[in-house]
Amino acid sequence: MHANRSKYIKKTQRVRLVRLPLAAAICLAVAAPAYAQDAAPPASTTAMPPAKTKTTTLGVVTVTAQKRTENLQKVPISINVLAADQLEALQVQNFNDYVKYLPSVTFQQGGGGIATGPGFATIYMRGVASGGNTNHSGSQPSVGVYLDDQPVTTIQGPLDIHMYDIARIEVLAGPQGTLYGASAEAGALRIITNKPDPSGFAANYTVGTDQVDHGGIGDTFEGMLNLPISSNAAVRLVGWHEHDAGYIDNVAGTRTFPVSGITISNEPGCVPSDNNSPSSSLQCVGHARNDYNDVNTNGARAALKVDLNDDWSISPTLMGQQTISHGTFASDPSVGSLAVTHFYPERVDDRWWQGALTVQGKIGNWDLTYAYAHLKRNQEEQTDYNDYSFWYDTLLQYGAYIHDNSGNLINPSEYITDRDHYTNSSHELRIASPSDDRLRLVAGAFWQKQKHDIMQDYQINGLGSDLSVPGWPNTIWLTKQMRYDHDESVFGELSYDFIPDVLTGTVGERYFRTRNNLYGFYGFSSGFSPDSSYGQAGCISPDPFEGAPCMDFNKQVKESGSLSKYNLTWNITPTKMLYLTRSEGFRPGGVNRAGDLPPYQADFLTNLELGWKTSWLDNRLSFNGAVFRETWNHFQFNILGPNGLTIIENANSARIDGFESQLNWQATYNLNLSAGVALYDAKLTANYCGFTDAAGTPVTYCPAGTINPQTGEAVTGPQAPTGTQLPITPRFKGNLIARYSFNLGGYDAFVQGAFVHVGERTTDLRLVERNLLGDLPAYNSVDLSAGIQKNSWSVNVYLDNAFDKRAAQYKFTECGVTICGAHDVVPQYPDGQVYTGFSQPRTIGIRFKQDF
């Protein structure tokens, strides 16, 4: 630990978490600034929208990032806001729609049998990204996603909430550990909904349709009803349906397994041999079809707000959504830029609902807030895992072991049926002193319990009963586990105006305790792997576990410690501010599912930031930004190990140096320009050797010939040496949005253009795997829109990805990169079988909205 730190971190199994000295990092990140408007009030709360006022000044944007309602320009945090009008003008409906306008945010999907559709994104901010595999047994996310005050982040990705009747999206870049805790190591993304308004009746509906190039036709239906019940109570009802057209084709084709000689086909005219038995020489499986990856989303929200008196209010909310997607959202270059050849069903049914309760009131002149949420999320998936079988058969003769009850070799193709059930309950109680006091305090307590019920059934049709997991016919591998993540903390931030309205200092602290439990069954039958330390052969209890043969795994890790924040804010003038911040964030450690590996340790992010928020030209122009250095110590790295089993290791330290800036200019009363940029220099500051010592501490010295204690094999040197660029995040990302409003024959009209540039990115931290996957090229994207409004109705037309660019957003393989990414092994796959996820092709659409 640092000599000057008085904090400590304790861990079970006598593993001490050591925080390395600060390494330096600067990272430029920016999101598109909000349009000139007040984002705080609910949208459409009057029967007739007010006439748009011609103004040449920027409006006030309010945020609640610091647990208070404040003017964005007065908050000494790097915050980007996408407000209601901007979300609507940019045709934002889901995560992929808005993330491209957030230069500080990147994401990754897919790999290791994980689905690639909605709800499976791993989000990164400010270059704090190690890449690697993320799935049900991975580490917790480094970016927290919140719906209002409630966390909605689960292990495999946050909820992909349909963006309708949303007041704003707040993006808080950098560690937010003191106010938001473990789930906000690198930042927090907050989705703020419109609230019930008792001041008047309001309603609106939207209908839309779109056509995707190379794909089908989509549609959208949305509606909102705000009903005052009395002068102090109202209910808000919101519902939506969205159909997203597919654009990736499942192309007809065949695949032959070298060991058995069995061929499988998804061709429509396929005629099987020998009645399609598991040992047939030709088997017809699945079906080829165009526009394979369609999505249907349905959801609703009901919110009630009751003002009990002038000081107290209660706001319960119930929200739910179901998203059913088919196919895959990535392409196989050997088949085509928007094509795959898959053989087994691919489908995801993602259902969730959340009940939330917010109570707000006053004790004296102090504000008190209690926020409760209970989230249930069920994901049921079917995944084609045929690539895994083919590549292991090709390289390691995998099919020689796969037989039926008669001993005949059979088609070794695997497919997965899995189910993830999440339950998340959270409570937060906080108090805040009056915002106009010279000495101000925000303090509270937080408690959260996450339960993850995991079932993954890897099946092979006709598999011999001696190879099948007992009680699970045709199952070669079964994961049936329970995971619990607990988080308890108390926190506070104290601010004092050394010189009122000029110089303010803030100190913050958060004390936390976390616990991670993982237990249950994972592995093969004893017939398939009789000497294994896991699976049926590794049972530690004779009793069945949740339908599985036994429990072969049961581990727990506990941690405790604290995080701090220091800030000094100088208001040079009422419109110009400088701030200096040192802040910390962390992500809990946990249990490695591979029983012979030590637990992975918590990782920590320390941020030193100089920022500014300024307004110029009589509030016609705002220019905000920050330069910073972030040190990421012992960061967690998820990889696919043997048998496609996720291994989480600590990978020493990295430094992210950056600069971020956003500009918003109301050039004339009808022309608004906004721009955001992000510059990153994110590098390792110590070697990543690919293994740890017995205590889980990363090894940094590993010249060629060093013995890896986990495998007993000699290594050839670091897998990623000091100075290696961190993956996923580009060195530069930026956007420019121009909106021009005008009068057209008595109608209010606008035209808008949005330009996004994303620089080249690497795909993996490890150099060998990076070379096998290949880099992600830089790309530009242009979105265009126009609309007219008259009284209570409006019509918008839009053209997204106007030049139909194939923007590569992520790459992955279905099994370990060195297996599925192997070069020159199969003529059909000279560069291995590496999938690429592209942005949606050019899409033209029209939307009609009417307010009441």
Side-chain angles (χ1 to χ4, degrees):
M1 284 201 174
H2 294 284
N4 63 349
R5 287 186 69 93
S6 61
K7 303 173 186 176
Y8 66 95
I9 304 250
K10 297 183 294 183
K11 193 173 173 81
T12 57
Q13 303 177 0
R14 298 183 180 178
V15 178
R16 178 175 292 274
L17 297 182
V18 180
R19 302 174 73 171
L20 296 181
L22 271 151
I26 292 178
C27 195
L28 160 46
V30 166
Y35 283 159
Q37 62 191 5
D38 187 341
S44 304
T45 55
T46 58
M48 189 70 67
K52 294 186 180 295
T53 304
K54 293 183 178 181
T55 177
T56 57
T57 61
L58 297 173
V60 174
V61 177
T62 59
V63 296
T64 52
Q66 294 192 121
K67 311 289 187 178
R68 299 176 182 269
T69 301
E70 300 172 288
N71 181 344
L72 171 66
Q73 290 299 103
K74 299 297 183 182
V75 181
I77 298 177
S78 182
I79 307 175
N80 304 128
V81 177
L82 294 173
D85 284 357
Q86 191 172 18
L87 293 171
E88 185 173 330
L90 293 170
Q91 314 303 324
V92 168
Q93 292 188 303
N94 53 44
F95 172 78
N96 284 345
D97 290 339
Y98 65 77
V99 71
K100 61 185 175 182
Y101 298 108
L102 304 174
S104 62
V105 181
T106 54
F107 72 99
Q108 179 181 10
Q109 289 182 323
I114 280 190
T116 58
F120 289 91
T122 301
I123 303 175
Y124 306 107
M125 290 180 69
R126 279 192 168 180
V128 182
S130 60
N133 178 68
T134 55
N135 65 15
H136 62 276
S137 57
S139 53
Q140 291 197 40
S142 62
V143 173
V145 179
Y146 292 79
L147 177 62
D148 294 318
D149 272 339
Q150 291 78 23
V152 291
T153 306
T154 58
I155 297 299
Q156 291 188 133
L159 306 181
D160 194 346
I161 299 167
H162 182 79
M163 294 287 105
Y164 172 63
D165 197 47
I166 300 298
R168 64 188 180 276
I169 297 174
E170 297 178 4
V171 181
L172 287 61
Q176 304 295 326
T178 53
L179 288 183
Y180 291 93
S183 63
E185 178 186 36
L189 193 155
R190 305 179 68 230
I191 300 168
I192 311 299
T193 61
N194 285 318
K195 305 302 187 291
D197 182 6
S199 66
F201 169 85
N204 66 54
Y205 69 91
T206 302
V207 294
T209 186
D210 59 70
Q211 166 71 54
V212 182
D213 274 18
H214 319 283
I217 297 175
D219 54 66
T220 303
F221 301 92
E222 303 163 330
M224 181 278 294
L225 184 64
N226 186 87
L227 287 172
I229 301 173
S230 65
S231 61
N232 63 341
V235 64
R236 196 176 189 96
L237 304 175
V238 184
W240 57 88
H241 162 80
E242 179 184 358
H243 169 69
D244 295 324
Y247 52 86
I248 292 182
D249 297 336
N250 189 11
V251 176
T254 62
R255 170 171 272 175
T256 300
F257 292 90
V259 170
S260 64
I262 293 172
T263 298
I264 58 175
S265 171
N266 71 346
E267 296 178 354
C270 175
V271 178
S273 60
D274 194 19
N275 296 319
N276 220 28
S277 72
S279 58
S280 298
S281 59
L282 175 63
Q283 298 182 22
C284 303
V285 293
H287 64 284
R289 70 178 179 89
N290 294 335
D291 307 336
Y292 188 45
N293 60 321
D294 60 294
V295 183
N296 288 293
T297 300
N298 296 282
R301 183 175 81 246
L304 172 69
K305 185 174 188 290
V306 180
D307 295 323
L308 303 175
N309 53 40
D310 290 341
D311 293 334
W312 288 87
S313 69
I314 182 170
S315 303
T317 302
L318 182 63
M319 183 174 180
Q321 181 174 286
Q322 180 180 36
T323 300
I324 297 177
S325 60
H326 300 96
T328 179
F329 289 75
S331 304
D332 183 345
S334 66
V335 180
S337 65
L338 295 174
V340 295
T341 295
H342 283 184
F343 301 92
Y344 292 87
E346 294 178 292
R347 181 180 185 272
V348 176
D349 185 349
D350 185 0
R351 308 183 305 276
W352 60 266
W353 66 266
Q354 184 192 64
L357 175 68
T358 301
V359 179
Q360 295 176 303
K362 287 185 176 294
I363 300 178
N365 62 351
W366 288 55
D367 294 322
L368 182 142
T369 302
Y370 168 69
Y372 163 76
H374 183 74
L375 171 68
K376 290 188 73 69
R377 184 182 192 184
N378 296 329
Q379 291 177 312
E380 297 177 0
E381 307 162 44
Q382 294 174 287
T383 307
D384 184 325
Y385 207 45
N386 177 266
D387 292 354
Y388 177 95
S389 304
F390 173 77
W391 284 92
Y392 272 81
D393 192 37
T394 301
L395 298 181
L396 303 176
Q397 291 74 55
Y398 167 78
Y401 308 100
I402 310 303
H403 59 257
D404 60 16
N405 285 331
S406 300
N408 299 317
L409 294 183
I410 61 173
N411 169 19
S413 295
E414 292 187 34
Y415 58 93
I416 309 172
T417 301
D418 59 278
R419 185 207 67 228
D420 294 279
H421 286 183
Y422 297 95
T423 305
N424 187 339
S425 295
S426 64
H427 303 262
E428 180 171 300
L429 179 67
R430 65 178 184 269
I431 58 173
S433 63
S435 58
D436 55 358
D437 283 358
R438 188 171 183 179
L439 180 65
R440 299 177 297 281
L441 173 69
V442 174
F446 178 79
W447 180 93
Q448 178 177 245
K449 179 181 179 180
Q450 301 181 69
K451 175 185 176 182
H452 185 185
D453 182 352
I454 308 164
M455 190 283 289
Q456 292 202 321
D457 184 2
Y458 292 71
Q459 300 171 69
I460 297 176
N461 289 333
L463 185 67
S465 56
D466 60 323
L467 302 181
S468 300
V469 175
W472 297 74
N474 298 326
T475 296
I476 190 170
W477 174 284
L478 176 68
T479 299
K480 192 72 179 71
Q481 295 180 324
M482 299 292 291
R483 172 174 175 167
Y484 287 91
D485 290 279
H486 297 255
D487 182 9
E488 303 165 359
S489 58
V490 293
F491 61 89
E493 286 193 0
L494 186 67
S495 299
Y496 180 71
D497 296 333
F498 295 107
I499 304 175
D501 300 322
V502 178
L503 188 64
T504 301
T506 299
V507 294
E509 197 80 9
R510 190 180 190 102
Y511 297 90
F512 64 83
R513 294 187 307 182
T514 65
R515 183 170 77 250
N516 172 246
N517 299 71
L518 183 65
Y519 59 92
F521 178 90
Y522 76 105
F524 302 105
S525 69
S526 58
F528 188 87
S529 185
D531 300 321
S532 176
S533 61
Y534 54 86
Q536 187 185 7
C539 288
I540 59 176
S541 168
D543 299 323
F545 175 80
E546 299 284 335
C550 64
M551 180 185 294
D552 65 352
F553 189 89
N554 187 3
K555 287 190 176 183
Q556 174 179 282
V557 168
K558 295 181 179 180
E559 298 170 328
S560 62
S562 63
L563 305 167
S564 63
K565 174 183 175 180
Y566 306 96
N567 172 270
L568 188 65
T569 300
W570 177 26
N571 290 290
I572 305 170
T573 71
T575 61
K576 295 172 181 59
M577 172 216 291
L578 284 176
Y579 66 88
L580 180 65
T581 298
R582 184 188 184 275
S583 57
E584 296 178 318
F586 92 110
R587 176 170 48 171
V591 173
N592 246 310
R593 190 174 64 163
D596 55 345
L597 294 179
Y600 56 95
Q601 303 177 2
D603 58 14
F604 293 85
L605 186 70
T606 302
N607 174 52
L608 185 62
E609 179 174 330
L610 175 66
W612 61 90
K613 292 192 173 180
T614 64
S615 299
W616 305 82
L617 305 177
D618 296 325
N619 200 33
R620 290 173 52 198
L621 183 146
S622 67
F623 175 54
N624 302 339
V627 293
F628 55 89
R629 167 165 286 185
E630 294 185 336
T631 304
W632 197 13
N633 286 331
H634 285 192
F635 64 86
Q636 296 166 16
F637 185 37
N638 297 250
I639 63 173
L640 283 180
N643 296 318
L645 194 65
T646 298
I647 295 173
I648 307 171
E649 299 175 335
N650 291 90
N652 291 304
S653 301
R655 183 180 66 214
I656 305 102
D657 292 337
F659 164 80
E660 62 189 19
S661 181
Q662 58 260 11
L663 178 74
N664 195 8
W665 181 28
Q666 192 69 41
T668 68
Y669 75 87
N670 55 359
L671 177 61
N672 180 274
L673 301 172
S674 61
V677 293
L679 300 174
Y680 295 90
D681 184 18
K683 295 179 179 179
L684 288 180
T685 54
N687 291 333
Y688 170 61
C689 292
F691 56 91
T692 65
D693 62 19
T697 303
V699 174
T700 60
Y701 182 69
C702 50
T706 301
I707 302 299
N708 181 337
Q710 269 97 53
T711 64
E713 299 175 350
V715 301
T716 58
Q719 294 185 22
T722 300
T724 299
Q725 181 183 350
L726 296 185
I728 309 303
T729 303
R731 293 181 182 271
F732 176 80
K733 182 181 178 183
N735 60 63
L736 174 65
I737 302 173
R739 181 183 178 93
Y740 183 77
S741 303
F742 57 98
N743 184 273
L744 181 65
Y747 295 88
D748 292 323
F750 80 90
V751 292
Q752 177 173 287
F755 170 80
V756 174
H757 172 80
V758 177
E760 186 180 35
R761 294 134 293 152
T762 60
T763 50
D764 200 288
L765 179 68
R766 301 160 295 176
L767 299 188
V768 171
E769 286 76 4
R770 175 182 298 185
N771 290 333
L772 292 173
L773 287 172
D775 290 340
L776 297 167
Y779 67 87
N780 299 317
S781 178
V782 174
D783 297 339
L784 304 173
S785 59
I788 58 172
Q789 178 179 334
K790 182 74 171 182
N791 298 326
S792 63
W793 62 266
S794 63
V795 177
N796 289 358
V797 295
Y798 57 92
L799 185 65
D800 289 345
N801 191 5
F803 299 102
D804 200 24
K805 295 294 185 180
R806 294 291 169 269
Q809 297 178 325
Y810 53 88
K811 289 186 178 183
F812 66 92
T813 58
E814 202 168 74
C815 57
V817 176
T818 55
I819 299 292
C820 282
H823 289 184
D824 300 322
V825 174
V826 181
Q828 182 184 356
Y829 304 103
D831 297 319
Q833 194 167 10
V834 177
Y835 290 87
T836 302
F838 293 107
S839 59
Q840 184 166 302
R842 178 170 48 220
T843 303
I844 184 170
I846 184 170
R847 291 167 64 89
F848 174 85
K849 180 179 180 181
Q850 186 172 15
D851 293 280
F852 298 93

